[in-house]
Amino acid sequence: MTSVVLRDLTRRFENVTAVDRLNLEINSGELVAFLGPSGCGKTTTLRMITGLLLPSSGDVLFDDRSIVTVPTEKRGAVMVFQKHLLFPTISVGQNVGFGLRMQKVEKKEMDRRVSEMLELVKLPGFENRRAHQLSGGQQQRVALARALVVHPKVLLLDEPLANLDANLRLEMRELIRHIQRELGITTVFVTHDQEEAVMLADRIALMFDGVLQQYDVPQAFYQQPSSVRVAHFFRNDNLLGGTRRGDQVETALGVLQIDAARQRILDGAVLVTVRPEDVNLTPNPEAGNCVEAKVLLQVYMGTHTQVQLDVAGHTWLVHGTADFQARVGDPIRIQLPQPRIWLLPVS
Ligand code: ADP
Ligand code: MG
């Protein structure tokens, strides 16, 4: 079991700072997702953890010991890539056993561990197949077995499911989560897909432009995003300007009561947000925190209705029940439930 610490980790390429003073602690046995749009520095960070790339400055620690000067093959961190790089001319068993052969593990022990790993990735008895006889999903599972067979301290997965179709991706996510728990291996999973990160990770590190934006449990990205940009990445663009004074926010639509203890923003200018699924479209007449809005559009989605509203000049998206009915252009009263209001800094 190995903990990983990134300390002020920075990597520059000519005029680009790909990773900028990244500070992160990953607990032993934890699965952390590095999440962010393409080009935000996820792969660069992984490569510095494995040793494929030297940092410009900063440090990487395994179990509190700096490993920056330790060569890749001695770090005990293995990486699985988006494109499986299996050797096409040798068997699946030989592919999986490759790392063990490098370590000069004896044949009998090697065969035992290879079978064990193929069983773990749900490909029992596949030892004698060739890589080109396997589907994309099977090849990715062989790549996973090959990485795990050497009992790495840290497993690094760089968008390993990006090339798979939607159903297979779902199945593979479950398999990865199952194996990771079973082996208790410290794992970093890179993805640009926020849903994938939420499903898999104990904690998510969200990066934009090489800078860590928020490091938290998945729920926090929905309920307590750190900025407008983070909220947007998690599909919440519902915003209303205001001024916070204690447990109230004054807005153009009246005064809202907030749960003061929950907030991170001090008194002054704020942006009020409530997630699409948390706005109440059919409040009781006497309910608190009701504001006026206008229906702009509604789309029946089967399980719910997506309603676009004008809220004091801002466009909000709200999930109503499947049978929600309103006419476009109608004024409606909506409730922003006090426990669901989150205040964001004005950027
Ligand atoms: P991600 O994996 O999040 O898509 P990367 O870590 O691959 O992002 O890249 C981060 C930034 O660093 C990008 O702007 C990319 O163009 C740049 N970059 C990555 N590797 C190199 C390199 N070898 N030379 C120059 N620029 C690079
Ligand atoms: Mg990448």
Side-chain angles (χ1 to χ4, degrees):
M1 301 282 267
T2 305
S3 65
V4 176
V5 173
L6 310 181
R7 200 170 277 164
D8 285 325
L9 193 64
T10 300
R11 175 67 205 210
R12 281 180 287 273
F13 296 106
E14 286 121 58
N15 49 2
V16 185
T17 304
V19 177
D20 194 0
R21 286 161 294 165
L22 183 57
N23 284 289
L24 210 64
E25 301 195 0
I26 302 169
N27 296 324
S28 184
E30 194 173 23
L31 196 163
V32 167
F34 285 180
L35 175 66
S38 180
C40 76
K42 305 180 296 291
T43 297
T44 302
T45 307
L46 279 202
R47 293 177 72 209
M48 289 192 281
I49 298 174
T50 47
L52 294 171
L53 190 68
L54 278 173
S56 303
S57 60
D59 211 349
V60 179
L61 298 96
F62 283 6
D63 286 331
D64 301 323
R65 284 219 314 273
S66 174
I67 48 114
V68 166
T69 57
V70 176
T72 303
E73 64 278 10
K74 298 228 168 86
R75 289 189 187 190
V78 294
M79 201 149 155
V80 175
F81 300 90
Q82 180 174 340
K83 289 194 205 83
H84 35 75
L85 301 162
L86 301 181
F87 302 110
T89 56
I90 60 173
S91 70
V92 165
Q94 285 168 321
N95 265 286
V96 174
F98 184 77
L100 297 178
R101 229 168 15 257
M102 293 292 109
Q103 294 178 356
K104 307 230 168 8
V105 172
E106 62 152 297
K107 172 92 169 69
K108 220 169 131 202
E109 165 74 359
M110 187 163 86
D111 288 347
R112 190 187 62 75
R113 277 165 69 176
V114 166
S115 310
E116 187 184 77
M117 279 307 136
L118 284 174
E119 214 146 289
L120 191 66
V121 299
K122 303 212 158 71
L123 292 174
F126 272 60
E127 281 88 340
N128 295 322
R129 302 255 193 129
R130 308 268 146 178
H132 72 262
Q133 294 175 311
L134 304 178
S135 69
Q138 288 172 335
Q139 291 189 35
Q140 215 41 340
R141 281 189 269 165
V142 171
L144 191 60
R146 184 175 61 178
L148 290 168
V149 81
V150 295
H151 297 156
K153 292 180 182 167
V154 181
L155 177 64
L156 304 162
L157 303 161
D158 194 0
E159 313 226 19
L161 312 184
N163 279 350
L164 306 179
D165 67 50
N167 283 337
L168 202 53
R169 205 151 59 216
L170 215 62
E171 207 177 287
M172 282 293 284
R173 274 181 207 162
E174 279 161 21
L175 182 71
I176 287 172
R177 185 77 249 207
H178 169 76
I179 291 173
Q180 193 272 339
R181 289 235 171 92
E182 181 107 345
L183 302 180
I185 184 169
T186 309
T187 301
V188 179
F189 187 102
V190 164
T191 178
H192 61 267
D193 178 340
Q194 125 265 0
E195 195 181 78
E196 189 159 277
V198 167
M199 277 185 66
L200 270 169
D202 295 311
R203 282 193 288 176
I204 296 171
L206 177 61
M207 293 167 75
F208 294 145
D209 310 321
V211 179
L212 182 67
Q213 307 291 312
Q214 188 164 353
Y215 185 37
D216 233 323
V217 295
Q219 297 88 314
F221 289 86
Y222 292 87
Q223 297 305 327
Q224 298 169 302
S226 62
S227 68
V228 170
R229 209 171 158 199
V230 170
H232 173 75
F233 198 81
F234 277 78
R235 312 228 163 116
N236 173 13
D237 294 307
N238 297 344
L239 299 170
L240 174 63
T243 305
R244 177 183 177 182
R245 292 186 221 287
D247 57 5
Q248 295 188 333
V249 178
E250 289 157 21
T251 75
L253 299 174
V255 173
L256 299 171
Q257 299 293 325
I258 60 164
D259 183 349
R262 201 175 157 247
Q263 308 299 331
R264 292 192 201 136
I265 310 286
L266 302 175
D267 282 3
V270 295
L271 289 167
V272 171
T273 187
V274 180
R275 280 202 64 85
E277 56 274 23
D278 292 335
V279 175
N280 184 357
L281 288 173
T282 50
N284 292 328
E286 67 275 15
N289 275 2
C290 286
V291 298
E292 291 294 325
K294 199 170 77 182
V295 177
L296 297 176
L297 190 71
Q298 61 172 340
V299 182
Y300 174 66
M301 306 286 287
T303 54
H304 68 279
T305 302
Q306 207 169 71
V307 185
Q308 217 182 65
L309 300 172
D310 180 301
V311 178
H314 300 270
T315 302
W316 282 41
L317 209 63
V318 176
H319 296 178
T321 55
D323 59 0
F324 177 80
Q325 291 285 346
R327 274 202 308 265
V328 170
D330 274 357
I332 60 165
R333 258 163 55 86
I334 60 170
Q335 189 201 18
L336 310 183
Q338 184 178 353
R340 296 300 187 185
I341 289 181
W342 177 245
L343 301 183
L344 289 166
V346 179
S347 40

